[in-house]
Amino acid sequence: MTSATSAPLAGAAGVVPTEADWAAAEALLRDLPVGARVLLICHVNPDGDALGSMLGFALGLRQFGVREVQATFPGPPEVPEPLHGLPGLELLVPADAADPAPDLVICFDAASESRLGELAGRLSSAGAALVLDHHASNPGFGTVNLVDPGAAATSVVAERLLARLGVVVDREIAECFYVALTTDTGSFRFAATTPAVHEMAARLLATGISPGDISRRVFDTRPFGAVRLFGEVLGRARLEPTAAAGRGFVWTFATLDDLARHDQRPYVLEALIDSVRCTAEADVGCVLKQTTSGEWAVSMRSKGAVDVSRVAVALGGGGHTFAAGFTGRGTVEQVVESIRDHLDAALIQPTS
């Protein structure tokens, strides 16, 4: 296959997929030869939507008749503990064991090729590349792209494609998709929660999955060390009420030393942004999480006055209007300054 970045691309970035895009994606799967090898990839440091969408779709492919299915993600092969109960984990392989030249690669919840890390090369070594995503900043880096910025989660796109293939969403697939859906809607609290989202949740719940058990496992269970860590990191939070043209900016950071001191793994920090973003005096909340010396995974949230995806894209990342991120390099002060410099330009202008 030609490089996925140079081949003609189906599905324009930022535009709801057309019927032709859906048909092209369906054809890729229906036309797979017997014994075809399919590799599924989600983004680095996978969250509930990335892993849930990928594993749910992987289980759906098995039901569809595809036997050679691998699922993977870049970086260390460590699944966050809250996601240890997901069905389909047996299909996961470490990145270095992933098929080097599959017949088809399918990417989940990755807003850009860079989010695929060392696995990005599979886009050109595979027979074809299909991208399932919901980030408006996604440029469309597959040969076929199902990128729906209006979808509350990538699992919404995945469920629709399985329906077109005639796959029945059973209890295991439903649990994966439900975790994905609840993760990216903030347990149905975020603005992306539409009637269609609740209708999808109802379909998934009808399979018999237990929302209470899933919520406790995914959202409401945290090691005591993480509780202590959160207290320390929140204690150093900074509020800048004049930033973002007076809308306010609040931020904090967590270092590798913080994690080591409290004997915690990096995944526990993913929930920290929710404790920061609730600050009443700030529209924009931000958490910097150290990944290596001089490198930070940056998460940003907005309450509606600032398009944080514009900030993230300007700094090499991507995401949604009210939830985005990027990789920052330098000191904490340098990364925060780079964010501060872009906030005013990212203000959302009121419509007349």
Side-chain angles (χ1 to χ4, degrees):
M1 179 185 88
T2 357
S3 169
T5 54
S6 59
L9 305 179
V15 178
V16 174
T18 64
E19 173 57 30
D21 298 327
W22 288 102
E26 184 179 345
L28 276 181
L29 294 163
R30 291 195 181 278
D31 294 344
L32 286 171
V34 175
R37 305 187 317 279
V38 179
L39 177 65
L40 283 62
I41 309 173
C42 68
H43 63 67
V44 65
N45 299 321
D47 57 10
D49 189 25
L51 202 59
S53 297
M54 179 174 70
L55 293 180
F57 199 85
L59 293 169
L61 285 181
R62 296 296 295 270
Q63 186 187 131
F64 184 62
V66 180
R67 292 287 162 243
E68 299 297 322
V69 178
Q70 288 184 331
T72 191
F73 53 85
E78 299 177 358
V79 174
E81 288 183 24
L83 303 178
H84 277 183
L86 278 177
L89 286 174
E90 68 279 2
L91 299 175
L92 281 178
V93 299
D96 58 9
D99 193 327
D103 296 288
L104 175 64
V105 63
I106 310 177
C107 302
F108 294 83
D109 205 42
S112 64
E113 288 183 62
S114 64
R115 296 285 282 160
L116 302 178
E118 67 269 29
L119 291 163
R122 299 304 197 281
L123 296 170
S124 56
S125 64
L130 171 61
V131 172
L132 275 62
D133 190 28
H134 68 132
H135 294 92
S137 61
N138 192 311
F141 53 86
T143 44
V144 176
N145 300 283
L146 296 180
V147 180
D148 185 356
T154 296
S155 60
V156 174
V157 181
E159 188 211 29
R160 181 173 174 185
L161 184 54
L162 286 185
R164 291 183 66 110
L165 296 172
V167 172
V168 176
V169 173
D170 58 21
R171 186 168 179 165
E172 289 193 329
I173 298 172
E175 180 167 339
C176 290
F177 284 172
Y178 188 81
V179 167
L181 191 63
T182 55
T183 298
D184 266 26
T185 60
S187 294
F188 309 107
R189 292 179 293 120
F190 298 161
T193 305
T194 63
V197 165
H198 284 296
E199 288 166 3
M200 177 175 171
R203 290 193 298 274
L204 301 177
L205 291 173
T207 66
I209 60 175
S210 172
D213 290 343
I214 292 171
S215 294
R216 278 189 293 274
R217 188 173 74 237
V218 176
F219 301 110
D220 298 332
T221 301
R222 188 169 296 147
F224 181 64
V227 174
R228 297 288 300 273
L229 171 62
F230 274 36
E232 182 176 330
V233 175
L234 290 172
R236 65 171 72 117
R238 294 273 303 277
L239 174 65
E240 301 183 14
T242 62
R247 273 71 171 184
F249 174 43
V250 61
W251 59 272
T252 191
F253 66 94
T255 67
L256 294 175
D257 285 343
D258 293 331
L259 287 168
R261 190 165 53 255
H262 293 280
D263 192 26
Q264 294 300 302
R265 290 171 55 195
Y267 83 85
V268 301
L269 296 173
E270 294 306 309
L272 189 59
I273 188 65
D274 291 326
S275 298
V276 175
R277 66 185 291 272
C278 67
T279 303
E281 298 88 347
D283 182 78
V284 177
C286 176
V287 175
L288 287 72
K289 297 158 286 188
Q290 188 178 29
T291 53
T292 62
S293 177
E295 185 171 290
W296 308 82
V298 182
S299 298
M300 296 181 293
R301 299 291 185 270
S302 167
K303 294 176 182 172
V306 176
D307 181 350
V308 289
S309 72
R310 291 181 60 186
V311 179
V313 169
L315 296 173
H320 308 288
T321 302
F322 303 133
F326 67 96
T327 299
R329 293 176 176 83
T331 65
V332 169
E333 292 75 15
Q334 288 170 334
V335 176
V336 171
E337 183 64 25
S338 70
I339 297 168
R340 194 183 294 117
D341 287 345
H342 287 88
L343 289 176
D344 288 3
L347 287 175
I348 297 173
Q349 300 303 318
T351 56
S352 55

